[in-house]
Amino acid sequence: MMTVLFAVSMLLTSCYSYTSVVGNGAQGNSKTTAWNHYVIYGLAPVGVSNSKQMADGAENYTVHTRQSFVNGLVSAITFGIYTPTTTTVTK
């Protein structure tokens, strides 16, 4: 039983995350954050943020999209019907 619990806990430790660098990447510490809205375990997008618009015309910026703890908690509470992610643009 302890082996199964350990294996399950190891499988659930990481959060969904990816980073994209545009141009030379972020040149400062100015950050803009927005939630992306998906339904049915993330299969159908309902409202997705526009990173280019969030960069507000900057040519060099970094986009980091992840499923944070709060996003995962909301997804768990709704049994995966609503699955949000968070996008942060640093310029």
Side-chain angles (χ1 to χ4, degrees), residues 47-70:
V48 180
S49 60
N50 183 340
S51 58
K52 195 173 210 177
Q53 205 172 40
M54 291 171 65
D56 198 31
E59 293 181 18
N60 302 307
Y61 56 94
T62 302
V63 181
H64 183 70
T65 303
R66 68 193 175 284
Q67 186 176 36
S68 67
F69 175 78
V70 174

Side-chain angles (χ1 to χ4, degrees), residues 2-60:
M2 290 299 286
T3 305
V4 172
L5 287 175
F6 178 76
V8 169
S9 68
M10 294 310 293
L11 291 172
L12 299 175
T13 58
S14 65
C15 291
Y16 167 78
S17 173
Y18 69 89
T19 302
S20 301
V21 177
V22 178
N24 294 325
Q27 304 296 311
N29 293 326
S30 176
K31 294 183 179 186
T32 305
T33 302
W35 274 33
N36 304 305
H37 309 283
Y38 297 92
V39 293
I40 312 168
Y41 298 101
L43 294 175
V46 176
V48 180
S49 60
N50 183 340
S51 58
K52 195 173 210 177
Q53 205 172 40
M54 291 171 65
D56 198 31
E59 293 181 18
N60 302 307

